[in-house]
Amino acid sequence: MVSIAEHKNYELHTQQVPELRYDGKSDFWQWQKNAKAKLSELLGMDKFKKCDPCFNLEYKKDCGEYTEYRFTIQSEENYYFPMVMRVPRGKEVGKHAVMVCLQGHSTGFHISLGIPKMDGDASTINGGDRDFVVRGVKEGWISVALEQRNFGECTGLNRLGGNCHLSSMVAMLSGRTTIGERVWDCMRAVDALIDNFDFIDPEKICLMGNSGGGTVTYYAACLEERFALCMPSSAVCSWDMSVAVKRHCTCNYVPGIARYFDMGDIGGMIAPRKLVIVHGVTDVGFYKPGVDKSYDLVSKAYETAGCPQNCDLVTGPAGHRFYADLSWPVVHKMMGE
Amino acid sequence: MNFSPILKNREVIKAISPSLRYKDGEDLASWQKTAREKLAELLGFEYMTKCADKFEIVSTAKTDSYTEYCFKIQSEENFCFTSTLRVPLNKTGKIPVAICLKGHSDDLSAALSDNDELGRNMCTRALEEGYCAVAVEERSFDECFASRDMIPEETVKRVTWCACYRSSMRALMLGRTTLGERVWDTMRVIDALVANFDFVDADAICLIGNNGGATAAYYTAALDERVAAVALSGGVCSFEESIIAKHHCICNYIPNISNYFEMGDVGGLIAPRGLSILSGSDDEWFPSTGVRSAYDLANSVYVGAGFNDACKLHIIDGNACFFADEAWADLHNMVK
């Protein structure tokens, strides 16, 4: 007999069979349509309204190997966020693929740019391939860093850094979620890239992120079909081996989601578009057995969708970080870029 | 340009008119029925099921002034908790009951103690007032938090902060809420009292609550009409000036509630039963301006329905604590 509240709730998690798990028999595409509708509702996507993006190019500067653009957009009435894009030399002519990069919980999107601004940033950048834009440019891709809500310049405090708790809980009161907000911003980022930069190939917009950024990458790809490939790292893992078993940031939690989906069920919504799941075998926030069983569900969905070659699992030898050397070859192969 | 998500979220909520706010002239019973159904849904009641209570008296004791029963009940399949009932020795016949919810604190001893500098010795005072007193182990507090030997020492020091987190977030993912769980458990305590102790006056069951316990008592009284009156210190304050303005424990947040209710709207569900709202003028967590705002909303329902004296507010000089003198003065008037 349980008398400890968190144990009771963990027991409920282990007993829960997600109501919208694909049954393997019914029409897959109809399932996907229904699942997307439910996911959209759970994330609170009906609470957002498109508005004038007020696109503002703050600067464009020649940095030798690449040209750097910094711009801001308004994603909802009275909410703005910045992005920095680096375009490798020669890629401002023609149409080219782009990788949008999402940091996880760190001091901000300057980490993706390889720019230390606060104490500890240097080791964050060097210690886990978190300079996503730097690497993306080396791989020959246009790469964009996007500042997510509650991180960095969008932390809501007069300092850099991350602080999700209050904003996440207040969002929930109105039926919104922080993940939903970040997904919405990703969608508006796609609008901005297509509308303002004619060298972006709209058929080859990709999204990647690590940890909290990986979580958003995964959800955003479900609901935004313009992402041709998504690469969530250190994020895709069953609830019972990640957010339900140990303390994670408030922003990870979507009210009611475990009733309908586990993490592996959600990946089926991305098919047939490309999905590269990255994880480290010794990640202690997202345990390997949970990653494996999530990927098992994802790969079955892709098989049903007739495109098993469009998903892959990249396993790194260490812990919670991105694995650029292992992951980028998979991206090149899948995208032909 | 606003780059602050919390400012945006506050702006979003400020623009909401709660859709289930009581309207002047509306039939009270009809509104309460609809509003209670929605509140129960928001608290996650559809995911909680009644079960065999497996009532068991764990221990008894007797002192000069009371008899004590420590009893255990199962409120959901495979979840049980204990409550401590103290019965004054000098009473006969049917005796009124005060169920005491003390909120965030290290353990139940505050509620059962003879003295507490924050007034949380609610059971002792209830006995002095001629009531039976029940101290409830609330979810994520006390023994329902975790076994002490499971917690690292550095965590024990932070226990009042971290106690609710994991349980609350697990609950949220399942469509439940910690507040809903506490309300549910309190309702099951009422079931147990009525079913097992024939000296309990079922028409005089009150709830008294402090801080997080006040919040739970408030929502319980809103949903359970067997609660004759409720006295709450801290915890009843507009969302705008409390949980939206600053960092509160996770357990306070109910997903989607702002679309239907502000805190004061919920108070209208307690009408015409007694509602006593108490607050310290210097309470930094539940500021008195927000408490007054919640009271005004709740009282507008009481007055609109013709119950002019059943909803009371006391703003008392000083910091947050349980203001027992004012609470008991109101309860004696409200419960006849």
Side-chain angles (χ1 to χ4, degrees):
Chain A
M1 179 70 70
V2 173
S3 63
I4 293 169
E6 63 173 271
H7 291 185
K8 174 62 183 170
N9 282 330
Y10 188 74
E11 177 189 274
L12 291 171
H13 268 278
T14 60
Q15 292 168 350
Q16 181 69 36
V17 178
E19 292 175 23
L20 282 178
R21 171 155 293 166
Y22 177 62
D23 64 7
K25 292 183 291 230
S26 51
D27 180 90
F28 178 79
W29 304 109
Q30 185 59 50
W31 167 84
Q32 198 185 67
K33 185 166 179 259
N34 296 341
K36 283 182 182 176
K38 177 52 80 176
L39 182 63
S40 183
E41 176 196 318
L42 291 168
L43 291 178
M45 302 309 290
D46 63 321
K47 304 289 189 294
F48 300 98
K49 288 191 183 60
K50 277 182 110 168
C51 62
D52 180 350
C54 298
F55 175 86
N56 177 40
L57 180 66
E58 291 185 359
Y59 65 73
K60 170 185 170 182
K61 63 182 179 188
D62 185 343
C63 299
E65 291 299 310
Y66 57 82
T67 303
E68 181 170 292
Y69 299 74
R70 179 178 156 114
F71 51 96
T72 59
I73 61 168
Q74 179 179 232
S75 59
E76 308 183 69
E77 209 64 51
N78 201 30
Y79 180 76
Y80 296 77
F81 65 93
M83 287 187 275
V84 172
M85 176 170 68
R86 290 179 178 168
V87 183
R89 192 201 300 279
K91 294 274 168 107
E92 282 167 291
V93 178
K95 295 280 188 196
H96 302 284
V98 61
M99 182 67 81
V100 179
C101 307
L102 306 179
Q103 272 300 316
H105 291 79
S106 65
T107 53
F109 77 153
H110 52 277
I111 302 290
S112 296
L113 299 166
I115 301 171
K117 287 190 177 176
M118 297 178 77
D119 290 343
D121 281 355
S123 61
T124 301
I125 290 164
N126 297 327
D129 293 342
R130 290 181 177 86
D131 51 347
F132 307 137
V133 169
V134 173
R135 182 59 181 257
V137 167
K138 283 187 182 143
E139 298 290 333
W141 279 51
I142 298 170
S143 300
V144 181
L146 180 161
E147 189 75 278
Q148 296 191 89
R149 296 205 199 196
N150 304 322
F151 298 156
E153 295 177 30
C154 296
T155 195
L157 303 171
N158 291 326
R159 62 172 174 82
L160 293 177
N163 186 354
C164 302
H165 177 88
L166 186 57
S167 186
S168 294
M169 298 316 295
V170 172
M172 279 195 207
L173 293 175
S174 67
R176 292 161 56 118
T177 62
T178 294
I179 290 180
E181 291 171 345
R182 291 171 180 160
V183 166
W184 180 261
D185 290 348
C186 287
M187 293 166 145
R188 305 291 67 82
V190 173
D191 295 341
L193 290 170
I194 292 172
D195 291 344
N196 296 284
F197 302 100
D198 54 12
F199 47 77
I200 300 266
D201 185 344
E203 306 292 317
K204 292 185 177 177
I205 298 175
C206 303
L207 183 66
M208 66 163 286
N210 187 63
S211 191
T215 302
V216 174
T217 294
Y218 194 57
Y219 283 99
C222 292
L223 298 182
E224 177 53 82
E225 294 189 7
R226 293 174 296 177
F227 286 121
L229 174 146
C230 80
M231 184 159 61
S233 172
S234 307
V236 179
C237 181
S238 58
W239 311 134
D240 65 346
M241 296 272 170
S242 59
V243 296
V245 74
K246 68 191 295 187
R247 186 187 176 117
H248 281 258
C249 182
T250 326
C251 67
N252 282 281
Y253 295 89
V254 178
I257 195 162
R259 293 264 153 214
Y260 301 97
F261 307 109
D262 205 327
M263 211 40 164
D265 301 302
I266 290 170
M269 293 182 234
I270 303 172
R273 292 166 293 123
K274 296 156 175 75
L275 170 58
V276 181
I277 294 173
V278 182
H279 84 112
V281 290
T282 60
D283 191 331
V284 295
F286 300 87
Y287 294 105
K288 185 178 183 310
V291 176
D292 289 342
K293 65 179 171 177
S294 297
Y295 185 72
D296 190 51
L297 280 168
V298 168
S299 57
K300 283 188 174 118
Y302 270 72
E303 196 156 329
T304 304
C307 53
Q309 72 284 2
N310 284 358
C311 72
D312 202 353
L313 177 65
V314 172
T315 301
H320 191 79
R321 50 165 284 174
F322 181 57
Y323 295 88
D325 289 345
L326 296 173
S327 305
W328 269 101
V330 179
V331 173
H332 288 306
K333 185 176 172 197
M334 282 196 181
M335 292 299 294
E337 287 272 340
Chain B
M1 280 195 270
N2 172 43
F3 290 89
S4 168
I6 180 59
L7 286 185
K8 177 61 189 171
N9 277 322
R10 285 179 181 146
E11 181 188 284
V12 166
I13 292 188
K14 209 167 172 67
I16 294 173
S17 290
S19 63
L20 283 177
R21 175 155 294 164
Y22 177 73
K23 298 174 193 57
D24 279 343
E26 193 173 355
D27 176 69
L28 180 69
S30 176
W31 169 77
Q32 284 184 333
K33 180 174 184 294
T34 303
R36 280 196 186 115
E37 282 168 4
K38 177 53 76 175
L39 183 61
E41 177 196 316
L42 293 168
L43 287 173
F45 268 32
E46 70 180 288
Y47 302 120
M48 308 188 72
T49 312
K50 271 181 120 172
C51 61
D53 67 6
K54 298 191 178 173
F55 174 85
E56 177 194 347
I57 294 194
V58 174
S59 65
T60 59
K62 203 158 183 169
T63 71
D64 292 342
S65 49
Y66 59 79
T67 304
E68 178 179 284
Y69 304 86
C70 182
F71 63 91
K72 189 174 276 198
I73 58 171
Q74 178 180 238
S75 60
E76 296 187 79
E77 210 63 52
N78 203 32
F79 181 80
C80 66
F81 62 97
T82 55
S83 300
T84 302
L85 164 66
R86 289 180 174 171
V87 185
L89 284 180
N90 56 353
K91 302 282 277 191
T92 56
K94 295 289 188 186
I95 311 171
V97 176
I99 300 175
C100 307
L101 303 179
K102 60 153 178 58
H104 293 80
S105 65
D106 286 354
D107 61 40
L108 205 49
S109 62
L112 295 169
S113 64
D114 290 335
N115 286 297
D116 181 83
E117 62 183 8
L118 296 178
R120 294 170 301 176
N121 54 325
M122 297 186 279
C123 291
T124 301
R125 182 60 183 262
L127 287 167
E128 290 168 4
E129 300 292 336
Y131 274 55
C132 295
V134 183
V136 176
E137 296 273 8
E138 300 169 77
R139 293 213 201 189
S140 300
F141 300 151
D142 322 306
E143 288 185 12
C144 295
F145 163 36
S147 299
R148 293 288 144 177
D149 59 5
M150 291 167 57
I151 316 169
E153 187 56 41
E154 62 271 17
T155 305
V156 173
K157 290 179 190 153
R158 295 185 292 116
V159 70
T160 56
W161 162 238
C162 70
C164 303
Y165 192 90
R166 272 206 305 239
S167 186
S168 294
M169 300 321 274
R170 287 173 184 169
L172 277 179
M173 291 179 73
L174 291 163
R176 293 161 55 117
T177 62
T178 294
L179 258 175
E181 291 169 348
R182 290 175 185 154
V183 170
W184 181 266
D185 288 349
T186 307
M187 292 166 85
R188 304 290 73 81
V189 168
I190 295 174
D191 293 343
L193 290 172
V194 170
N196 296 285
F197 300 98
D198 55 12
F199 50 79
V200 161
D201 184 349
D203 294 326
I205 296 175
C206 301
L207 294 177
I208 57 179
N210 184 61
N211 190 271
T215 310
Y218 188 64
Y219 283 98
T220 306
L223 291 182
D224 196 330
E225 294 184 82
R226 296 173 297 175
V227 176
V230 59
L232 312 165
S233 194
V236 180
C237 179
S238 66
F239 298 145
E240 183 179 4
E241 292 195 57
S242 58
I243 63 176
I244 291 173
K246 67 192 293 186
H247 194 146
H248 278 256
C249 183
I250 300 284
C251 67
N252 286 281
Y253 295 86
I254 301 169
N256 213 14
I257 194 168
S258 290
N259 287 306
Y260 301 97
F261 307 106
E262 237 284 359
M263 192 62 156
D265 297 307
V266 173
L269 295 172
I270 304 175
R273 296 165 289 137
L275 171 56
S276 171
I277 298 173
L278 310 137
S279 173
S281 59
D282 300 334
D283 189 335
E284 61 169 313
W285 293 99
F286 300 98
S288 58
T289 44
V291 174
R292 179 169 292 284
S293 164
Y295 164 77
D296 285 343
L297 262 178
N299 193 44
S300 69
V301 179
Y302 276 76
V303 169
F307 305 106
N308 295 336
D309 284 320
C311 183
K312 298 291 187 190
L313 171 66
H314 305 273
I315 308 278
I316 298 132
D317 285 342
N319 286 321
C321 72
F322 187 74
F323 297 100
D325 291 345
E326 290 81 0
W328 280 104
D330 280 347
L331 286 173
H332 287 307
N333 279 331
M334 291 169 176
V335 181
K336 302 292 182 196

